[in-house]
Amino acid sequence: MSTAILSTPFQADFDANSQEFSLAGVIRPRSVDEIAPSISAFRSAIEEARGVLYINVKRLAQMNNTAFHAFSRVVLDACRTRSDIRFVVVTSSVVGWTERMFRHLGKIEPQITVEVYDSKFYPGQSFVEDTSFIPILRTQTKMTWRHERTILPRHGMRPGIVMADICCGIGDFAVLVRKEFQPARIVALDHSKASLAYARDVAANFGISDIEYTYGDASEMLLEDNQFDLVTCRHSLQIFNQRDLLLKELYRICKPGGRVYITNEKNSHCLGEPRAQSIQWTYDEVARLFSHFEMDVELGPKSRRYLADAGFDDILVESFMVTNHDGDPQDFADVITAWENVYAGEMAVKRGDPPEFIERFRQGFRDHIFAALHPKGYAGWPIWAASGRKPL
Amino acid sequence: MNAAQRQPVETKFEPLLQFEMEMGTFLSDWHHCDQLSTYVARMISHNRTDPVRHSNFFSSALNELLEVSFRGGSPEGRIGCAVYRQGPNERVKLSFPCPPGHRQFFQEAVARTHRNDAYARYLDAISTDLAPSREVILLDLAINFDASIRLEEDKPRSVTIVVDLPLEGIVS
């Protein structure tokens, strides 16, 4: 159910299957009458629920005191008449005031608990937010940038645009874009506070004050609709388990006529000579390993389908191969070493793989490094760059 | 103890932005509260550490103040809002005309935000009040936004609320 009474629409929905009542958007009514249908729906949801009712306010960007009191009264009244039901209010760590405001309800009624949804946005989050990964992320960006700086203008990058880099990581892509293309505004969002702190430090050291780094969940952003000429989201769709949700958000914040640019890998196409077979085996296993954690590092060539399904038109897809001949081969080798450490040293262990598997798994990475550093060797890492236009 | 006695030591706040409009115009549309708070928040937050989240937080607080002036203001005269900054703090100075007697009401409401039982009063209001009073909204700012609130001496039939918001520290 949505309401058109307020200038900014909000949503109040009840999912009976998950017993979850969700509030999203901006709710700033002058009087309770304006939100009466939503209050009524909330009462009905409580009547219908058994056991636990989840109240999801993760996507609630704004709520004034009039609305807060109205919804609070309903749940507090229910606590007094229904001893058989518990309420779990799920707030977001991104929208700080919701956590502060809703936590009081738990102080009034023990049947109400308030949880901050923070640490489990997607299954592979702990791996990709590992701070030991930061130096290698810089090297990866340095290697891909050699290609992307010529690719990006074909996908809508030009001076003076307003752009957002979603899942910006340590923010180095935003810094390179700023220097090369001089956009009018860059918002860079990520869910890793450690990465953002690093990004801000780097920006400060370079005297850069005009990149707006912001903490946020890419699948539920505080950014408003139709704001950006270009939205970039690099190497991230493949590690989200709710890819449709992420694309929906990228689409939402993009201006009509603007473009969303994504890059993704197809890990099983990583290659090297010599020792091609060992390398091939390991990267096939990388794809399976990520799949186990609900990530799809084979996504690259599927970009066209994802963008089309999300509603984009004028879709452009191209691929490029990062190789050991792009700059210093040691950089390439360093990246593979980092992959070995995380994929074989952490993820395979977490999956419960036996030592003999892990040893063979590691060998493929080592052979990839061997190929990268071999005087006559060739080592490659393929990436798909794609963009789609949000229809006017 | 009244609010004047609890005034913090004055530090230098730099002006960031201010607006004024005819109170009658302001009162003509409830959505002015939302629109003004969103716009002002976006403008003043652009160079904060996390501009998007700072703006969200600030808009929330400013909207409540504007709603207080909307509900309690009288149509003659002008509403003025100025935002200042000092380090991690923003100061909102909101002036608006109000009916006779309301100034006393605001003095009492502001004084209650400084009392030891402020949190108990706030919880009680959430539990029992049908709708939030202006007092509860000031308590909300003090409790949920760590705001320091005072009134400034002003012309008769108008009120100036000064709210210091340490949002940079909360957001980042």
Side-chain angles (χ1 to χ4, degrees):
Chain A
M1 174 180 54
S2 299
T3 179
I5 298 169
L6 301 177
S7 61
T8 314
F10 74 95
Q11 294 82 43
D13 296 301
F14 178 56
D15 181 344
N17 293 329
S18 56
Q19 296 207 138
E20 182 176 80
F21 188 84
S22 303
L23 290 169
V26 177
I27 314 180
R28 286 174 166 173
R30 184 174 181 179
S31 74
V32 180
D33 294 344
E34 290 175 26
I35 55 171
S38 300
I39 294 289
S40 175
F42 189 35
R43 281 205 184 92
S44 301
I46 292 172
E47 281 170 22
E48 200 177 316
R50 297 288 176 271
V52 179
L53 178 74
Y54 293 91
I55 303 165
N56 178 344
V57 294
K58 287 186 295 179
R59 302 195 68 184
L60 185 57
Q62 295 290 352
M63 174 184 255
N64 68 2
N65 267 289
T66 300
F68 175 71
H69 273 246
F71 282 100
S72 296
R73 278 307 302 267
V74 174
V75 70
L76 292 169
D77 286 348
C79 287
R80 286 154 199 162
T81 56
R82 292 270 310 269
S83 59
D84 61 316
I85 193 167
R86 276 199 318 115
F87 295 93
V88 177
V89 183
V90 186
T91 68
S92 162
S93 61
V94 175
V95 191
W97 63 265
T98 54
E99 184 187 345
R100 287 179 154 239
M101 218 155 157
F102 282 93
R103 69 182 175 189
H104 306 303
L105 299 180
K107 297 239 166 66
I108 297 168
E109 286 290 347
Q111 281 168 254
I112 304 170
T113 52
V114 180
E115 292 179 358
V116 182
Y117 186 75
D118 185 23
S119 58
K120 291 181 181 171
F121 285 126
Y122 45 93
Q125 187 177 0
S126 59
F127 301 119
V128 297
E129 291 190 2
D130 188 334
T131 51
S132 65
F133 222 53
I134 284 177
I136 218 65
L137 290 174
R138 287 194 74 179
T139 308
Q140 282 190 185
T141 304
K142 192 169 81 177
M143 286 160 51
T144 55
W145 179 249
R146 292 192 182 94
H147 300 266
E148 288 186 273
R149 66 186 299 185
T150 56
I151 287 172
L152 279 162
R154 296 197 281 275
H155 295 266
M157 180 68 81
R158 61 188 186 279
I161 61 167
V162 177
M163 69 163 286
D165 185 29
I166 306 305
C167 307
C168 69
I170 57 171
D172 46 355
F173 178 73
V175 170
L176 291 165
V177 161
R178 176 187 173 276
K179 187 179 174 192
E180 182 82 15
F181 296 102
Q182 293 98 40
R185 183 183 175 210
I186 307 181
V187 174
L189 177 145
D190 201 86
H191 182 256
S192 164
K193 287 179 177 170
S195 295
L196 287 171
Y198 182 93
R200 290 187 182 112
D201 275 354
V202 170
N205 290 340
F206 284 94
I208 297 168
S209 58
D210 52 358
I211 297 175
E212 299 173 36
Y213 289 109
T214 186
Y215 171 68
D217 172 6
S219 62
E220 297 179 344
M221 292 186 277
L222 273 178
L223 301 171
E224 292 172 17
D225 300 356
N226 306 320
Q227 269 199 69
F228 299 101
D229 300 297
L230 179 64
V231 179
T232 58
C233 183
R234 299 167 58 259
H235 285 70
S236 299
L237 201 60
Q238 60 186 24
I239 55 169
F240 265 77
N241 58 336
Q242 294 179 289
R243 283 174 275 279
D244 296 342
L245 197 58
L246 175 55
L247 276 166
K248 196 174 166 187
E249 277 293 272
L250 302 178
Y251 185 95
R252 182 182 67 77
I253 65 171
C254 184
K255 281 181 189 171
R259 298 190 75 86
V260 168
Y261 168 86
I262 57 174
T263 64
N264 292 284
E265 299 165 71
K266 183 173 175 68
N267 255 264
S268 66
H269 281 205
C270 282
L271 50 84
E273 283 288 353
R275 303 184 181 177
Q277 279 190 320
S278 163
I279 296 167
Q280 180 68 62
W281 182 86
T282 284
Y283 284 99
D284 282 341
E285 291 301 327
V286 168
R288 289 195 188 96
L289 178 64
F290 273 77
S291 175
H292 175 80
F293 292 104
E294 296 180 59
M295 296 181 268
D296 182 8
V297 288
E298 297 286 275
L299 194 144
K302 302 172 194 167
S303 302
R304 175 178 290 278
R305 169 165 65 82
Y306 274 110
L307 288 168
D309 289 350
F312 293 97
D313 63 16
D314 189 29
I315 295 166
L316 304 173
V317 183
E318 54 190 300
S319 61
F320 60 92
M321 181 77 82
V322 176
T323 78
N324 56 331
H325 296 283
D326 293 336
D328 186 349
Q330 188 60 50
D331 282 348
F332 195 98
D334 290 345
V335 168
I336 308 306
T337 302
W339 289 354
E340 182 193 341
N341 291 339
V342 175
Y343 303 167
E346 295 178 30
M347 294 173 71
V349 171
K350 189 167 183 183
R351 187 171 61 168
D353 293 336
E356 55 273 23
F357 172 88
I358 291 176
E359 184 49 37
R360 188 179 175 196
F361 192 39
R362 281 187 182 277
Q363 189 57 48
F365 292 115
R366 290 170 192 152
D367 289 337
H368 206 195
I369 292 166
F370 180 81
L373 298 178
H374 193 286
K376 295 178 188 173
Y378 183 87
W381 167 36
I383 292 167
W384 273 256
S387 71
R389 184 182 62 180
K390 180 173 176 176
L392 287 165
Chain B
M1 183 181 287
N2 64 36
Q5 290 173 290
R6 293 287 299 267
Q7 282 183 18
V9 176
E10 193 62 32
T11 47
K12 189 163 174 56
F13 277 79
E14 301 290 341
L16 290 179
L17 183 155
Q18 70 178 70
F19 71 83
E20 267 191 32
M21 68 193 292
E22 292 294 334
M23 196 62 181
T25 307
F26 175 64
L27 295 177
S28 67
D29 188 346
W30 170 254
H31 297 115
H32 286 150
C33 302
D34 173 56
Q35 290 157 355
L36 286 166
S37 61
T38 302
Y39 179 80
V40 170
R42 210 177 287 161
M43 289 298 110
I44 66 105
S45 300
H46 77 278
N47 54 355
R48 279 304 195 190
T49 304
D50 190 328
V52 174
R53 294 178 65 234
H54 189 278
S55 173
N56 175 263
F57 235 111
F58 187 87
S59 169
S60 200
L62 181 58
N63 179 67
E64 294 298 340
L65 283 169
L66 291 172
E67 287 188 10
V68 164
S69 63
F70 195 100
R71 294 183 198 279
S74 45
E76 303 80 21
R78 295 174 74 80
I79 180 172
C81 177
V83 184
Y84 306 82
R85 175 174 296 171
Q86 190 268 321
N89 305 310
E90 261 84 31
R91 169 170 292 175
V92 177
K93 198 178 278 194
L94 182 68
S95 305
F96 56 94
C98 62
H102 278 228
R103 187 177 167 73
Q104 177 66 24
F105 166 81
F106 276 109
Q107 279 174 340
E108 290 166 8
V110 168
R112 287 189 195 111
T113 67
H114 298 286
R115 288 188 186 156
N116 292 334
D117 66 347
Y119 188 53
R121 288 181 69 89
Y122 178 68
L123 291 186
D124 187 55
I126 296 173
S127 306
T128 56
D129 292 358
L130 286 172
S133 65
R134 279 168 281 179
E135 179 196 336
V136 171
I137 288 166
L138 296 183
L139 286 171
D140 161 53
L141 292 173
I143 290 163
N144 295 320
F145 297 81
D146 297 347
S148 169
I149 308 168
R150 63 188 169 85
L151 285 191
E152 228 170 49
E153 291 303 317
D154 212 333
K155 298 174 285 190
R157 298 196 173 191
S158 77
V159 66
T160 297
I161 306 175
V162 182
V163 181
D164 289 350
L165 295 158
L167 299 185
E168 177 74 340
I170 298 174
V171 170
S172 305

